[in-house]
Amino acid sequence: MTLLAPPLALACTDYRQYLRAILVPAMAELEADIESRQVGLHRVFGANLFVAHAVDYIQAIRKADGIDEGRGGFVRQFDRLFSVEGTRLSNRKFELIDAINNALKHIRLDPKRYPALEQHYGPISFQSLFEENGRVLCILDGYRFDYARVVLQPAYKALTSWDFETVEDVLEFARDNTPISHWSADDELMASDDPADAIDQMIIACNPSCEHCGEADACCCAEFTYEGEQGRFEPLLRTDFDFDSVMAKISGAYSPRT
């Protein structure tokens, strides 16, 4: 085990405590609201603030580790460094999270300070988010989507989908040395060779979730707009799924069609 300098060890400990005491509980409450379709605007703004400030804790680690970088540039590259999934807002989730947080603080963004964001999204204010039928939508120039599902949940998973048992684990994450993995319980089930899992594998394959919002039958992406284009349900497909092999495990009488 490497002995870390006190300032670096403290910065890593601060991040672990921030996750455990603040970010994880706040997002657990929001995710319960998402599942029950009772998302409140105040809850989204609170979770957004906590996700946005996680960047500062990670940057504090990197600064103590000798990495010299400005916060603005770090936010812009955050999605790429820490693998925040989702193609609809690829590599722009943390930038938008940070902008919404600053818009809440300053009522609306100063276009002179955020020219690239204003050019991409148009004016951003705290009114860019609003409640509608148990969801909180984000409305910007050419955009209308479920903010909690499309932005906050993927960003939160990127921050917490790691097993930080030690301060050294936190440091490796902050250095972008942690192997990226989005392995889920469904992925583990689909990789099983046990015939007892075949029916569940078929159910998952025939009922894929949307790769953008994570929902299946309840996907509302067709109601959304991204860069002026109407969204749509895009199934998260597992290309290694072998229909014939799984069907043969379900029924010994099955024979593939030729």
Side-chain angles (χ1 to χ4, degrees):
M1 180 179 296
T2 303
L3 183 64
L4 304 184
L8 183 55
L10 179 61
C12 293
T13 300
D14 286 342
Y15 182 62
R16 290 179 71 198
Q17 176 65 10
Y18 183 75
L19 292 182
R20 181 170 56 251
I22 298 176
L23 182 58
V24 171
M27 282 300 300
E29 293 176 352
L30 177 61
E31 290 188 316
D33 290 344
I34 291 172
E35 291 307 310
S36 62
R37 305 189 191 286
Q38 296 179 342
V39 180
L41 184 62
H42 68 286
R43 188 90 84 185
V44 168
F45 270 119
N48 190 81
L49 181 150
F50 295 139
V51 173
H53 283 306
V55 173
D56 298 291
Y57 283 78
I58 295 172
Q59 190 183 19
I61 297 170
R62 291 164 68 88
K63 183 177 181 180
D65 195 34
I67 300 175
D68 184 19
E69 61 194 345
R71 187 182 188 281
F74 182 49
V75 168
R76 285 191 292 273
Q77 65 174 333
F78 201 97
D79 295 80
R80 178 182 58 79
L81 287 175
F82 299 99
S83 191
V84 185
E85 292 186 303
T87 58
R88 285 296 188 186
L89 293 172
S90 181
N91 296 329
R92 304 212 74 138
K93 289 185 176 66
F94 267 92
E95 197 175 15
L96 185 55
I97 287 169
D98 195 59
I100 292 292
N101 185 57
N102 280 299
L104 177 63
K105 179 180 178 181
H106 300 291
I107 306 176
R108 51 188 47 84
L109 288 186
D110 180 352
K112 294 181 181 179
R113 291 186 60 189
Y114 301 91
L117 279 178
E118 293 271 331
Q119 183 178 5
H120 191 83
Y121 294 115
I124 300 176
S125 76
F126 78 100
Q127 294 170 325
S128 297
L129 301 186
F130 75 98
E131 278 186 53
E132 182 182 273
N133 300 326
R135 293 177 293 173
V136 169
L137 302 182
C138 182
I139 307 296
L140 299 165
D141 283 359
Y143 290 87
R144 183 182 187 276
F145 58 86
D146 185 330
Y147 189 78
R149 281 192 173 275
V150 172
V151 173
L152 284 182
Q153 279 192 317
Y156 170 65
K157 289 176 182 177
L159 291 168
T160 59
S161 294
W162 317 102
D163 188 11
F164 296 132
E165 294 184 353
T166 66
V167 291
E168 288 81 9
D169 293 335
V170 176
L171 179 58
E172 289 303 298
F173 171 74
R175 286 174 170 172
D176 185 33
N177 289 337
T178 304
I180 300 299
S181 174
H182 298 288
W183 190 258
S184 68
D186 282 353
D187 292 318
E188 185 171 353
L189 174 62
M190 297 301 280
S192 172
D193 291 326
D194 189 341
D197 291 327
I199 292 178
D200 288 333
Q201 290 173 337
M202 185 62 69
I203 290 172
I204 290 173
C206 294
N207 297 275
S209 59
C210 177
E211 68 171 307
H212 303 303
C213 72
E215 295 201 271
D217 294 339
C219 172
C220 295
C221 285
E223 302 174 16
F224 302 154
T225 306
Y226 300 92
E227 293 187 310
E229 296 184 1
Q230 185 176 5
R232 62 188 182 277
F233 172 78
E234 295 188 33
L236 180 60
L237 300 176
R238 292 170 170 82
T239 56
D240 58 347
F241 178 73
D242 187 331
F243 180 89
D244 290 331
S245 174
V246 173
M247 278 300 301
K249 293 176 184 176
I250 294 173
S251 172
Y254 174 79
S255 59
R257 289 179 294 180
T258 56

